[in-house]
Amino acid sequence: MSKKTKKIYYIPDKAESLWYCNYKELFHSFKPVPPFPRYIQVQTITGCNASCTFCPHGKITNPFPKGKMEDELYRKIIDECVKKPVKRISPYLMNEPLLDRELGWKIKYIAERKSPRLFIKINTNASLLRGGIAEDIMNSGLDRLNISFHGISKEVYEKSMQGLNYEQTLANVNHFLETKNKLNVPKPKVDVTMVRTKWIESEITTIRNYWREKKIRVHIQPLENRANQQIQGRGLHLKEWRPYSWCKRLFTQAYILYNGDMVLCCVDWERTTILGNVREKSIEEVWNGEKAVSIRRTFLSGNTEGLLCHSCFIQLKD
């Protein structure tokens, strides 16, 4: 880990002036940890209808109980976020968001209150993107819809995204795109995403060509183990695994579970590190709380021993 990369974020001293913080960022690329998270993920409901090979869902020892965020708590979270310089709110976390049949109004609640600088995004496997829920999403004010679709053949798709039906999901996606084009609506912007596993490697050119014809961007992300040894041992990788040398999630992103608990990271499926509860406190209080700040200091010292971060690995790039 290089010195510059290691210190790209720092915890400013309370005595430091705003001018000095701006100076360090402008001339030395040292960014102060923001006093409020720039990106927020909110788990409105637990669960997923798939068991993807690259995802911890179904592979953890402490699974989520069935639960749904109370409307009052959801509104409290959003009402606080829209008053702050948040860049993105994503009403999903470690779940399939379309399982929440009320997701449409929850997105609209953000859209009706947010500033132009804030955008709303969800990631979905699109297996439920049909009928009333598809219509609700189209009319919700959602800015970006990322569709997780791994592979372009039935064999690779259903091996990667176990529990889902290739023909049905592809039909859902294509119908949504056709409807969006007919209505000539700019939002939500639709992208297709996947992680780079050895299974999709031979299909990458075909994948890109298929979605390019529909004017859809494809994002292929490096495979992470998501702090889960089972994923690391499944033989999905093309290259060697290596520990994360740097991660900015601790310094910019907040992750709130359906019961109000703020966990350390989006890969904390086992809820090993709960920073606080936003039902009892504000997001700002938890974000700047002693526990969160102490963990950031430990991470910045270069010592991840004892932190969830110590278990995070990523595929080596070419």
Side-chain angles (χ1 to χ4, degrees), residues 195-302:
V195 293
R196 191 165 188 172
T197 66
K198 67 179 184 181
W199 292 345
I200 73 162
E201 188 67 12
S202 63
E203 296 191 346
I204 286 180
T205 300
T206 307
I207 289 166
R208 292 192 184 280
N209 289 340
Y210 180 87
W211 295 111
R212 186 182 296 117
E213 289 180 4
K214 298 178 181 295
K215 299 180 180 178
I216 298 297
R217 291 191 308 173
V218 175
H219 300 280
I220 302 177
Q221 307 294 337
L223 178 66
E224 303 177 26
N225 77 334
R226 304 194 195 185
N228 186 284
Q229 291 185 352
Q230 286 196 47
I231 293 175
Q232 198 169 332
R234 288 196 156 210
L236 302 173
H237 56 292
L238 293 154
K239 303 288 182 180
E240 292 180 32
W241 294 97
R242 64 169 170 81
Y244 261 98
S245 60
W246 177 253
C247 183
K248 67 178 183 179
R249 291 170 185 163
L250 285 175
F251 309 102
T252 61
Q253 304 189 42
Y255 305 95
I256 302 171
L257 300 181
Y258 75 100
N259 63 353
D261 284 342
M262 185 188 293
V263 289
L264 181 68
C265 180
C266 57
V267 304
D268 196 357
W269 287 74
E270 303 274 4
R271 287 96 76 205
T272 64
T273 313
I274 297 174
L275 304 178
N277 189 286
V278 301
R279 184 196 304 275
E280 303 159 357
K281 297 181 178 180
S282 67
I283 296 172
E284 187 169 14
E285 287 174 316
V286 176
W287 177 257
N288 295 295
E290 183 179 345
K291 188 170 185 178
V293 173
S294 176
I295 289 171
R296 292 185 195 116
R297 289 191 191 281
T298 300
F299 184 90
L300 287 171
S301 74

Side-chain angles (χ1 to χ4, degrees), residues 1 38 41 46 58 60 64-65 85 122 150 155-156 161-162 167 201 213 231 248-249 260 306 313 315:
M1 188 185 303
R38 295 294 183 251
Q41 280 189 247
T46 61
I60 56 178
F64 287 103
I122 62 170
H150 289 68
E155 178 187 5
V156 169
M161 307 189 73
Q162 295 175 11
E167 290 87 357
E201 188 67 12
E213 289 180 4
I231 293 175
K248 67 178 183 179
R249 291 170 185 163
F313 285 75
Q315 246 186 169

Side-chain angles (χ1 to χ4, degrees), residues 134-151:
E135 185 177 344
D136 287 347
I137 294 299
M138 187 83 72
N139 298 321
S140 65
L142 181 69
D143 293 296
R144 183 172 298 170
L145 179 68
N146 282 359
I147 295 174
S148 180
F149 201 99
H150 289 68

Side-chain angles (χ1 to χ4, degrees), residues 73-86:
L73 176 58
Y74 179 79
R75 291 189 178 98
K76 176 182 184 291
I77 290 167
I78 301 307
D79 289 347
E80 182 179 2
C81 289
V82 296
K83 296 174 184 176
K84 303 292 184 177
V86 176

